[in-house]
Amino acid sequence: MNMQQTITPVDGSVYVERPYADATKIGAVFDRAVKAQRAWALTTLEERAALCHRFCDALLRHTDEIALEISWSMGRPISQTPSEVRSCAERARFMIDEAPAGLATYDPGFKPGFKRYIKRTPLGVVFVIAPWNYPLLTTVNSVIPAIMAGNAVVLKHAPQTQLCAERFFQAFEEAGLPAGVFQYLHLTNRDAEGLIGDTRVAHVNFTGSVATGHLVQRAAAGRFISVGLELGGKDPGYVRADADVKFAAETLLDGAFFNSGQCCCGIERIYAHESVYEEFLEHAVAIARAYRLGNPMQQDTNLGPVVSARAAANIRAQMDEAIAQGARALIAPEAFTADAPGTAYMAPQILVDVDHSMRFMTEETFGPTVGIMKVKNDDDAVAMMNDSHYGLTAAIFTRDLEAAETIGDRCETGTVFLNRCDALDPALPWVGVKDTGRGYTLSRWGYETLTRPKSYHLRLAE
């Protein structure tokens, strides 16, 4: 039987394997989802909210087991993974509580002899394709709002974190969700792509690479369905002359290296004003050298392996290419005993003397690396930040709120940060521009992408 394997980056062994779903199972799951959704759409918002809150309770009861599975599956230190379970529940609860506003009926105003209003109605079956880097948080962004809106959900999780799909299913079962409203499938990429064209699918939400995003969009091109794409990033940080330089370095380096740099909104390039450039570098190097790279199962480790040896090789190749073009590496990898070419373990790295002719400063790296450039002024910084085919977040460090807002208005990005980065507030829509994708999740606006407006134009009897 064809099996889906999770190869752990911790030691390169097979951590878990599951059989791929065959055509019979795939068909049965989607038939069940269609039938279940029709009944689920008739439930009240209060009923859905109570059940989804019980889902959160169930997920939290298994925090330790889920955290351990995430660490083994994708390598994040065990000291950090429990917070993803807690954050997942917090984000879910916010979206549950935001549903009345996001799904509210709209009254366009009085018109004599008529009753008029607009409802937000569910789309049907939502197909969610989730990534491995934040396997709970990226999944909950669409799953909970979809279910709260009256949809059914079928989840395909990344092979690297396939157990997270099973954990979501377990939590919904414990919560008492009616059978068929939430299901998961372990699918081959070919089967997943084929399902996008299935008439039982009403909406696709994909989080992952730009290349795969194009495949998803092409697969949906022959149908009139909506597609949400949250794709790659090459997110910049800008340190102005008036910034708290030490704080900026601490925050930006954490944004670059947390989760081994494997975050779509992680900091991958930094532009520091020439008057604070040297000071910023001094702090940044000291911070990078203090990281503890090692086995993620040890509590004192704060930098684990990247997701695979292959990913590490690609990251190293991108850095080596930049160095061959004139960049300089400021961190000695040999200072980190766990760093070993050929494995998933790699030291944090800072490159300087970089420019935008290098792939390292223009293409997504997705590793514990960052490039730092000197800029002359705000105009220079804005030009550099916008010189990208990505646009998810931009982080500005300054004591001047008005200046930050002015710069933010000029940035081609979905979110503008001031004095923070690599963060997500569920009250604000998570949205990208350019090749970072289309559509948005979270906040009350996130419910718009998972529903359609339905107009009621009723002439009253005389």
Side-chain angles (χ1 to χ4, degrees), residues 22-285:
D22 60 18
T24 301
K25 182 171 183 178
I26 293 169
V29 162
F30 276 89
D31 284 345
R32 194 179 306 122
V34 169
K35 183 178 179 180
Q37 189 275 325
R38 290 173 183 151
W40 182 245
L42 300 177
T43 60
T44 66
L45 202 54
E46 291 76 18
E47 290 173 307
R48 298 174 201 166
L51 198 146
C52 286
H53 276 302
R54 293 199 298 271
F55 160 84
C56 297
D57 295 337
L59 204 66
L60 290 171
R61 283 195 296 271
H62 299 284
T63 295
D64 291 344
E65 307 102 281
I66 296 172
L68 185 64
E69 289 168 0
I70 293 173
S71 291
W72 273 106
S73 295
M74 51 79 64
R76 192 183 316 142
I78 192 64
S79 61
Q80 299 168 357
T81 45
S83 67
E84 181 169 357
V85 187
R86 294 189 292 269
S87 296
C88 177
E90 290 170 5
R91 189 176 296 178
R93 293 194 199 279
F94 180 89
M95 291 305 296
I96 295 165
D97 294 341
E98 197 73 357
L103 299 171
T105 297
Y106 174 72
D107 181 353
F110 176 71
K111 181 178 180 180
F114 291 89
K115 182 178 182 180
R116 303 176 302 161
Y117 55 95
I118 304 167
K119 283 186 173 181
R120 307 250 20 135
T121 61
L123 299 175
V125 178
V126 174
F127 184 31
V128 176
I129 306 174
W132 53 264
N133 60 324
Y134 283 93
L136 300 184
L137 288 174
T138 53
T139 303
V140 80
N141 288 355
S142 51
V143 168
I144 286 293
I147 288 175
M148 284 297 300
N151 299 291
V153 172
V154 177
L155 170 65
K156 177 211 178 299
H157 221 297
Q160 199 67 37
T161 43
Q162 55 185 311
L163 293 182
C164 289
E166 298 177 13
R167 288 296 187 176
F168 262 61
F169 183 80
Q170 175 190 31
F172 276 121
E173 265 202 328
E174 291 181 14
L177 185 70
V181 177
F182 175 87
Q183 300 171 90
Y184 70 89
L185 287 166
H186 298 310
L187 296 168
T188 65
N189 290 340
R190 174 174 291 185
D191 284 340
E193 186 176 348
L195 277 169
I196 297 169
D198 193 298
T199 57
R200 291 168 291 188
V201 173
H203 175 80
V204 179
N205 188 279
F206 169 76
T207 304
S209 71
V210 172
T212 306
H214 281 297
L215 293 177
V216 170
Q217 185 157 277
R218 281 198 291 271
R223 302 189 58 219
F224 300 122
I225 63 171
S226 53
V227 176
L229 302 171
E230 203 266 271
L231 309 177
K234 190 74 179 178
D235 288 7
Y238 171 38
V239 185
R240 292 186 87 229
D242 66 342
D244 180 333
V245 179
K246 185 173 185 293
F247 172 78
E250 291 169 346
T251 306
L252 287 167
L253 267 291
D254 180 68
F257 296 156
F258 188 81
N259 202 34
S260 297
Q262 299 167 128
C263 179
C264 56
C265 64
I267 295 295
E268 295 209 3
R269 49 198 176 107
I270 298 172
Y271 306 98
H273 190 275
E274 59 187 5
S275 66
V276 296
Y277 176 79
E278 295 298 338
E279 181 186 356
F280 182 85
L281 279 188
E282 182 180 345
H283 289 302
V285 169

Side-chain angles (χ1 to χ4, degrees), residues 181-460:
V181 177
F182 175 87
Q183 300 171 90
Y184 70 89
L185 287 166
H186 298 310
L187 296 168
T188 65
N189 290 340
R190 174 174 291 185
D191 284 340
E193 186 176 348
L195 277 169
I196 297 169
D198 193 298
T199 57
R200 291 168 291 188
V201 173
H203 175 80
V204 179
N205 188 279
F206 169 76
T207 304
S209 71
V210 172
T212 306
H214 281 297
L215 293 177
V216 170
Q217 185 157 277
R218 281 198 291 271
R223 302 189 58 219
F224 300 122
I225 63 171
S226 53
V227 176
L229 302 171
E230 203 266 271
L231 309 177
K234 190 74 179 178
D235 288 7
Y238 171 38
V239 185
R240 292 186 87 229
D242 66 342
D244 180 333
V245 179
K246 185 173 185 293
F247 172 78
E250 291 169 346
T251 306
L252 287 167
L253 267 291
D254 180 68
F257 296 156
F258 188 81
N259 202 34
S260 297
Q262 299 167 128
C263 179
C264 56
C265 64
I267 295 295
E268 295 209 3
R269 49 198 176 107
I270 298 172
Y271 306 98
H273 190 275
E274 59 187 5
S275 66
V276 296
Y277 176 79
E278 295 298 338
E279 181 186 356
F280 182 85
L281 279 188
E282 182 180 345
H283 289 302
V285 169
I287 292 165
R289 287 174 176 165
Y291 271 85
R292 299 178 300 278
L293 172 68
N295 188 322
M297 299 306 157
Q298 297 174 351
Q299 284 291 335
D300 63 343
T301 294
N302 64 359
L303 186 66
V306 295
V307 69
S308 66
R310 179 181 177 182
N314 290 336
I315 296 163
R316 286 189 171 97
Q318 198 182 87
M319 289 194 294
D320 289 344
E321 181 183 289
I323 291 168
Q325 293 173 300
R328 287 189 297 122
L330 300 185
I331 308 300
E334 55 269 21
F336 295 81
T337 56
D339 179 276
T343 76
Y345 291 85
M346 58 184 305
Q349 188 56 270
I350 296 170
L351 296 190
V352 294
D353 297 341
V354 290
D355 60 50
H356 283 211
S357 70
M358 302 171 181
R359 286 193 308 130
F360 182 76
M361 292 298 286
T362 59
E363 295 185 11
E364 190 171 41
T365 307
F366 228 57
T369 66
V370 67
I372 304 177
M373 284 179 63
K374 185 188 301 183
V375 292
K376 295 179 179 179
N377 50 41
D378 292 348
D379 290 343
D380 195 11
V382 169
M384 290 292 99
M385 288 192 284
N386 287 344
D387 184 25
S388 174
H389 54 269
Y390 297 107
L392 186 55
T393 77
I396 303 161
F397 286 77
T398 176
R399 292 181 170 91
D400 188 332
L401 173 61
E402 184 178 352
E405 291 177 325
T406 299
I407 294 167
D409 287 343
R410 300 170 62 194
C411 287
E412 297 164 354
T413 189
T415 296
V416 176
F417 289 120
L418 171 61
N419 297 327
R420 73 176 312 181
C421 62
D422 189 28
L424 190 155
D425 184 338
L428 304 173
W430 195 237
V431 57
V433 300
K434 298 189 273 190
D435 279 359
T436 291
R438 59 182 296 185
Y440 40 89
T441 55
L442 299 175
S443 79
R444 66 184 59 184
W445 283 273
Y447 280 102
E448 292 183 359
T449 66
L450 295 163
T451 57
R452 64 172 59 88
K454 185 174 183 178
S455 298
Y456 288 77
H457 191 174
L458 312 176
R459 182 191 294 272
L460 303 179

